[in-house]
Amino acid sequence: MTAMTDSPRPAAAVPPNASNPHFGDPDWWRHAVVYQVYPRSFADADNDGTGDVRGITEKLPYLAELGVDAVWVSPWYPSPLLDGGYDVADYCDISPTFGTLADADAFIARAHELGIRVIIDLVPNHSSWEHPWFQAALAAAPGSPERERYIFSDGRGEDGELPPNNWASMFGGRAWTRTTNPDGTPGQWYLHLFDASQPDWNWANPEIAAMFDDVLRFWFDRGIDGFRVDVADSMAKEPGLPDHTVNPATGLGSNGKEVGAPHWDHPDLPPIHRRWRAVADEYADSELGGRIFVAEAYIDPIERLVEYVRPDRLHTTFNFDALLSEWSAASQRAVIAKTIPAHESVGAPATWVLGNHDNVRVATRYGKPVTGVDFSAPGEAAAGDPLELGAELHGMPTDLELGRRRARAAALLELALPGGAYIYQGEELGLDEVEDLPESLLQDPTWERSGHRIRGRDGCRVPLPWSGGVAPFGFGTDAAPWLPQPARWASLTAEKQDGDPASMLTLYRSALRLRRERGDFRGGDFAFHGLDGGDVLAFTRGSQTLVVVNFGSTPIELPAGEVLLSSVDLVEGRLPSDATVWLAV
C-alpha cells in the first residue's frame, strides 16, 4: 500500500449551490438513489478501450441530470483484473489503467459540486495475489508473521496432498491452492473463497483490522462519502476450519444461506463491523457528514440480514431478494411485506435493487420464461444465488420487447418504495444482457473454474453506448472496447434517447425528479392499498400518492386521480399489463 504516505486531499466542503437540494442532509443515505459505475465499462476518456476515472468525471453532468443522489464506483484500485478489480493489489491507490489519485480527487470534488455523493468499494475478505503482503507471505516460512496475515494451513493426507478441508470456491473448484516451497517441494495451502488469485485475509490477526482502519481513513480524508462492502458477511472464519456443504449440482461453494456456516455470517463478524462504524463516526461532524457503509450479504432469513444494519454496525444493506424476485405480484408483495417491517425493527432504511455487475441485466431476465425466484412459495425463504440463476437463464429464449416493458414497470415500482434505491449503469437505457459474447473473450473466472459450464458475468459488463450509430458508440473515440458491444445498441444510446418522451432514459429522469420533489416519496409512510391482490400490487406513499402495478394479462380499472407518471400509455384510463402508474389521489 505504497500510497498510504500520500498526503490526502482535504475533504470537500458542501457546495452552497449544489443541484441536489438534499445534498447537505446528514441522513442522505436513508433515501438516496445510488448509481453504480463499473469503471472498465462506463466511459473511456483516454481512448484505450477501457473506461477510466476521467471518463466518469466527464459524465457526471449526465448523472446529475438523471437525478441520482450518489454514485458507487466499483473497484478502481491497482489490480491484475483477474476478477474485474475485486482482486486488489493496493487499497490506497488508483489503477494506472483507470488513472491517478489526482484524477480520483478531481472526480470526488466535481461530484460534490454537482450534489452527488461518492461511494467506493471496500474489498475486505481477500486481496490480490499480487498484493505485496501476499508476495511476502509466499516467500516466508510457515508460521511466520507474514503468513499469519492470510489463511495458510498444512494439508491433510500422508504428505499433505489433500486440502485442509472440503470448502469449495464460490466460482467453482476447490477453495484452496497449494504453494510450492523454494526448493520446489509442495508446501502449505492457502484459502481463497473466490478465485485462486484472491487469497483470504486472516481477520483473526489484529494487523489486518488495523490496516483496514488506515484504508478507511485514507479515503474518508480524501472526501468519499461511504463504502460498499464486498461480501460483508465473509471475513470471520470458524477456528479449526471444519468441513461444510458444497452444492452438489454445481460444485460451487455455499453463499451464506445456511445458518451456522463456518465461513459466512460468523459470530466474530459483528466486532469487525462495529470497528468500521466507529471509524466512520469519527467523521460525523465534518462538513460532508454522514459517512456510511452498505453491505453486500446474501443472508437469509431477513431477520439475520437486518442484524447487519443495527445502529452500531453498518448503515444499509442490499436487498437481494428484491433483485432476485420473479416478476409476479405475489413474489414482489412477499418481498416488500417482509423487507419493510424487518428494517423498521432495527431503525434502518430498506434498499431496493434490480441489477448490478454480478447479475443478468433486468431487461433480459424479465423477458425469460423464468424471471427469478418465487418468494411467495412455501419453502422459498432462502436468497437466491446470482451465478446459479445466471446459469439457469442462459440459453433460455428472450422476449426483449416484453423484458423492457417489464423493466420500465419495475423501475417505477423500485423507485416508489420507501428507503434507498440502486441503479446499475445502463438500466436507465434499457440495456440487455449480451449473451453471445465469444467464448474466447470471456474473462469472468467462473468460466474457467466451472469447467466452462457457467459463462459468468461478462454479459452484464459490456461497455455502455453513449452516442453514434456504430461501435464503440461514444464509449471512447475509436478504440475497440475491452468487450464488444452489440450493433443493436445503436437504438439505445444515451444520445438517441435524450429528449425522446417515450424512452427509458426519459422515464428514469421523470421518476427521479418526482421522487426528489414529491414529499410523499421522501417519508417512510407505506401501506398496501385496497386494489392489491391477485395479479395487482398496489400501495400508498404518504397521504396523496398511489402506486399500482399490473402483473396480469389484461388491463385494469384505476381509481380517480391525476397520473403523475406511467411506464406505458394508459388505455381509456386503464392500466395495461406489465405496467406501473403513479397517481396523485
Side-chain angles (χ1 to χ4, degrees):
M1 293 178 298
T2 56
M4 291 295 290
T5 58
D6 186 89
S7 178
R9 178 187 178 92
V14 176
N17 57 349
S19 59
N20 178 358
H22 306 292
F23 183 69
D25 182 359
D27 289 331
W28 61 272
W29 50 274
R30 289 187 169 272
H31 44 71
V33 175
V34 183
Y35 186 98
Q36 182 191 355
V37 164
Y38 190 71
R40 291 180 86 183
S41 300
F42 189 65
D44 176 17
D46 63 6
N47 193 37
D48 63 356
T50 299
D52 45 52
V53 178
R54 285 199 296 113
I56 305 171
T57 305
E58 290 174 2
K59 298 298 185 183
L60 281 172
Y62 168 86
L63 296 182
E65 184 178 4
L66 184 62
V68 300
D69 301 293
V71 58
W72 152 35
V73 183
S74 291
W76 56 7
Y77 310 108
S79 167
L81 293 175
L82 296 177
D83 182 28
Y86 286 89
D87 45 329
V88 179
D90 186 341
Y91 289 85
C92 294
D93 204 353
I94 300 295
S95 169
T97 301
F98 299 146
T100 65
L101 276 172
D103 292 334
D105 291 337
F107 160 69
I108 295 166
R110 180 61 175 147
H112 288 165
E113 287 173 3
L114 293 171
I116 299 173
R117 300 277 185 167
V118 175
I119 298 170
I120 65 173
D121 247 295
L122 184 72
V123 187
N125 177 71
H126 48 263
S127 75
S128 165
W129 60 11
E130 292 188 3
H131 193 286
W133 281 9
F134 188 70
Q135 290 299 307
L138 290 177
S144 64
E146 291 83 0
R147 288 214 167 176
E148 287 301 309
R149 293 167 174 161
Y150 293 89
I151 300 178
F152 283 84
S153 180
D154 295 330
R156 296 182 295 183
E158 184 176 346
D159 298 312
E161 71 277 10
L162 299 176
N165 63 27
N166 75 331
W167 292 2
S169 161
M170 291 297 297
F171 294 156
R174 290 171 170 170
W176 295 90
T177 291
R178 197 170 193 185
T179 63
T180 301
N181 294 322
D183 62 2
T185 59
Q188 288 187 306
W189 298 73
Y190 69 87
L191 177 67
H192 50 87
L193 292 185
F194 295 88
D195 189 53
S197 65
Q198 297 166 292
D200 280 33
W201 291 109
N202 176 17
W203 274 88
N205 182 346
E207 190 175 5
I208 304 308
M211 183 267 283
F212 274 96
D213 287 352
D214 290 340
V215 171
L216 298 181
R217 292 190 177 98
F218 177 87
W219 290 107
F220 282 147
D221 286 343
R222 300 193 92 87
I224 69 113
D225 301 281
F227 288 93
R228 175 263 191 187
V229 183
D230 185 60
V231 283
D233 50 347
S234 63
M235 285 82 72
K237 277 82 173 178
E238 180 68 20
L241 307 176
D243 284 354
H244 188 56
T245 305
V246 174
N247 187 314
T250 66
L252 303 183
S254 68
N255 69 350
K257 292 181 286 188
E258 304 90 348
V259 176
H263 50 331
W264 299 106
D265 194 35
H266 190 271
D268 290 340
L269 192 62
I272 298 173
H273 292 170
R274 294 186 184 109
R275 181 170 180 146
W276 293 345
R277 181 62 176 259
V279 172
D281 287 349
E282 294 173 9
Y283 294 80
D285 294 330
S286 70
E287 289 182 300
L288 284 173
R291 310 302 177 88
I292 63 99
F293 298 98
V294 55
E296 181 204 32
Y298 284 88
I299 294 294
D300 205 86
I302 199 165
E303 289 76 17
R304 290 172 65 204
L305 180 63
V306 297
E307 288 295 314
Y308 283 57
V309 290
R310 286 192 173 277
D312 62 341
R313 290 182 66 177
L314 308 180
H315 297 76
T316 64
T317 183
F318 288 125
N319 182 4
F320 287 119
D321 284 0
L323 186 154
L324 297 167
S325 174
E326 72 174 12
W327 182 250
S328 72
S331 183
Q332 298 281 345
R333 184 187 302 111
V335 170
I336 295 168
K338 68 179 180 180
T339 296
I340 294 175
H343 284 78
E344 287 178 344
S345 72
V346 295
T351 65
W352 309 98
V353 55
L354 297 176
N356 60 28
H357 64 293
D358 288 331
N359 288 272
V360 174
R361 281 198 174 273
V362 180
T364 293
R365 177 162 60 92
Y366 283 161
K368 297 283 189 180
V370 174
T371 56
V373 178
D374 180 5
F375 288 101
S376 70
E380 284 291 355
D385 183 293
L387 287 173
E388 293 178 24
L389 179 61
E392 179 183 0
L393 296 179
H394 183 73
M396 289 183 180
T398 307
D399 182 340
L400 270 181
E401 182 179 355
L402 176 63
R404 288 200 176 96
R405 180 185 180 92
R406 289 173 170 174
R408 291 173 65 93
L412 294 195
L413 168 58
E414 173 195 26
L415 295 173
L417 291 166
Y422 284 78
I423 300 169
Y424 176 49
Q425 63 178 42
E427 285 177 1
E428 80 282 8
L429 301 177
L431 298 187
D432 51 289
E433 186 86 357
V434 183
E435 298 186 280
D436 58 353
L437 290 170
E439 292 181 355
S440 61
L441 297 181
L442 296 179
Q443 299 190 27
D444 191 319
T446 305
W447 174 241
E448 294 296 335
R449 296 191 64 86
S450 69
H452 294 181
R453 292 181 299 108
I454 301 176
R455 286 175 63 90
R457 301 157 294 176
D458 292 311
C460 68
R461 300 176 177 183
V462 174
L464 295 191
W466 289 100
S467 60
V470 296
F473 298 118
F475 171 68
T477 54
D478 54 19
W482 69 281
L483 286 175
Q485 302 152 306
R488 65 180 178 274
W489 280 6
S491 64
L492 299 175
T493 66
E495 178 185 59
K496 188 80 171 179
Q497 296 193 44
D498 185 33
D500 178 359
S503 72
M504 182 79 89
L505 179 58
T506 297
L507 181 74
Y508 265 86
R509 286 173 174 168
S510 299
L512 292 175
R513 176 180 54 80
L514 282 168
R515 177 186 167 100
R516 184 174 282 177
E517 294 175 353
R518 194 165 176 82
D520 282 350
F521 287 129
R522 297 196 64 78
D525 292 344
F526 171 94
F528 287 111
H529 186 268
L531 285 174
D532 190 59
D535 291 330
V536 177
L537 174 62
F539 55 87
T540 56
R541 293 299 313 280
S543 61
Q544 295 180 313
T545 304
L546 173 64
V547 177
V548 183
V549 191
N550 182 9
F551 293 86
S553 59
T554 58
I556 61 170
E557 298 290 339
L558 292 171
E562 175 192 354
V563 175
L564 298 170
L565 189 60
S566 179
S567 63
V568 299
D569 290 335
L570 303 187
V571 179
E572 297 179 347
R574 296 186 298 169
L575 183 65
S577 62
D578 295 309
T580 301
V581 66
W582 294 357
L583 295 173
V585 294

